[in-house]
Amino acid sequence: MPELPEVETIVRDLNEADLIGQTIAETRVLWAKTLAFPDLRTFAAKLKGRVIETMARRGKYIVFSLSGGYTVLIHLRMTGRLSLDRDWPRADAHARMAWRVRRKKNPAESLVLCFRDPRKFGRVWLLDSGEPSPLDKLGVEPLSAALTVSCLSRALGARGAAVKTLLLDQTIIAGLGNIYVDEALWHAGLHPLRPGRSLKPDDIRRLRNAIRHVLQRALRAGGTSLGTGRGNFYGLRGQPGRHLARLKVYRRTSQPCPRCATPVERIVVAQRGTHLCPRCQEGRKAGS
DNA sequence: ACTTTACCCTGTAAGC
DNA sequence: TGCTTACAGGGTAAAG
């Protein structure tokens, strides 16, 4: 389940590959619903001949800026993966979309960017300049200087919903998912069910620091791979993330809290499995 | 305007 | 062993 550190890892991999300045020669759609705005007739035609100018990340979106003002967005959702291959996917039940890139120096050499997604939740957008974009709705980038204590205080302080629910809301902070929300709340010593408006200035300050700490650590480890299954996270070159061993509570139900050895508890918040230390994150439910 | 629920999907693990 | 069922979850749309 790629969240900010995983998506950022892939974008960094992409930027290390020789893609900037190269031309999209051909697009193949293997699962039509992957297109967020189904316009199959024009999709491949609009992309043909476009030059890749930049590749970046916003929230959990991968953003390709192409010549002519076009933007391609890729959201991996739960199980999406990208890879760079020598040829089109063959007999690959999970391949959903692929692009052949023509290299300036060696046009004969084929390079194919392939999007795979067993669960079919991932989506791809093609946007003309000025078109409404899913990026418009995104909140603050948590690793940017914009995530200040006062910014977080304004966003959370007026809301009655559980702090975990608010942190998962991409219109408030862009890029956090289930793993890093649980981890950040543990680091901050905050119960996931605490209402946003119950948070005091010091709670907000700890939360802000915890979010950045957790994301930076995960990023340095190349993301989190949970270890089982094909839906697992892998980078562009198929490398797993190394952050799993550093998780404090996520998917560690009944195992000792690394801080106080109390068994980690699992509850459900916002329809998501939620992991916490009932002692370190205790008694803060009611607020005040 | 806000909050909650249903839905999209299929690999994996648990249950019989 | 083989089949069936529950579960995982990001985001959006519909419902409350």
Side-chain angles (χ1 to χ4, degrees):
Chain A
M1 40 221 79
E3 307 179 23
L4 187 152
E6 290 76 29
V7 178
E8 180 69 26
T9 297
I10 289 173
V11 168
R12 289 181 182 183
D13 289 348
L14 284 169
N15 276 289
E16 281 174 24
D18 184 24
L19 289 171
I20 301 282
Q22 315 291 358
T23 304
I24 296 173
E26 189 184 346
T27 301
R28 290 189 184 177
V29 180
L30 301 124
W31 175 255
K33 288 172 85 173
T34 302
L35 263 181
F37 304 117
D39 191 10
L40 273 171
R41 259 173 288 178
T42 58
F43 179 68
K46 282 178 178 170
L47 284 174
K48 192 177 170 70
R50 302 279 163 201
V51 175
I52 299 170
E53 292 180 344
T54 64
M55 295 172 288
R57 178 196 59 77
R58 174 78 172 98
K60 300 176 196 170
Y61 292 84
I62 299 166
V63 184
F64 286 77
S65 295
L66 306 179
S67 57
Y70 280 99
T71 301
V72 168
L73 303 180
I74 301 176
H75 198 304
L76 302 171
R77 294 279 171 90
M78 314 291 298
T79 56
R81 282 177 62 182
L82 288 179
S83 62
L84 275 176
D85 309 315
R86 296 234 168 269
D87 209 340
W88 297 106
R90 256 189 270 268
D92 189 332
H94 296 147
R96 306 298 176 212
M97 205 177 280
W99 297 269
R100 192 164 66 80
V101 174
R102 194 196 317 126
R103 321 186 86 155
K104 256 186 217 152
K105 292 173 196 164
N106 187 0
E109 189 194 348
S110 187
L111 188 65
V112 174
L113 179 65
C114 184
F115 172 62
R116 292 183 177 78
D117 185 16
R119 299 275 279 282
K120 299 180 176 174
F121 279 13
R123 290 291 178 271
V124 173
W125 290 256
L126 174 62
L127 304 169
D128 206 342
S129 60
E131 260 187 285
S133 160
L135 304 184
D136 300 341
K137 289 176 281 190
L138 294 180
V140 64
E141 276 294 322
L143 289 181
S144 80
L147 186 79
T148 59
V149 173
S150 63
C151 151
L152 202 53
S153 185
R154 272 194 306 277
L156 307 183
R159 307 282 296 268
V163 61
K164 164 144 183 175
T165 307
L166 297 172
L167 293 180
L168 287 171
D169 184 341
Q170 302 299 300
T171 68
I172 299 175
I173 301 177
L176 294 178
N178 209 33
I179 296 174
Y180 299 113
V181 166
D182 281 6
E183 292 297 293
L185 288 170
W186 178 86
H187 278 277
L190 294 173
H191 196 287
L193 285 174
R194 274 193 59 176
R197 68 166 67 98
S198 80
L199 300 175
K200 295 172 189 160
D202 192 60
D203 296 326
I204 301 273
R205 186 189 57 77
R206 291 200 316 278
L207 181 57
R208 183 245 181 211
N209 293 339
I211 289 168
R212 294 167 72 96
H213 175 255
V214 163
L215 292 177
Q216 273 157 356
R217 265 178 70 87
L219 195 46
R220 277 200 297 275
T224 302
S225 294
L226 294 171
T228 55
R230 262 181 281 279
N232 201 18
F233 165 74
Y234 297 97
L236 188 69
R237 300 179 306 276
Q239 80 279 20
R242 306 177 306 277
H243 189 64
L244 178 66
R246 298 175 169 137
L247 294 178
K248 309 300 184 189
V249 286
Y250 186 78
R251 295 235 177 143
R252 295 191 68 250
T253 309
S254 303
Q255 292 177 245
C257 166
R259 192 188 284 133
C260 75
T262 303
V264 169
E265 204 173 88
R266 185 184 185 277
I267 62 175
V268 175
V269 180
Q271 338 286 3
R272 302 281 184 267
T274 298
H275 312 76
L276 68 137
C277 170
R279 185 165 165 191
C280 297
Q281 298 166 260
E282 158 225 19
R284 299 173 181 269
K285 262 182 259 187
S288 97

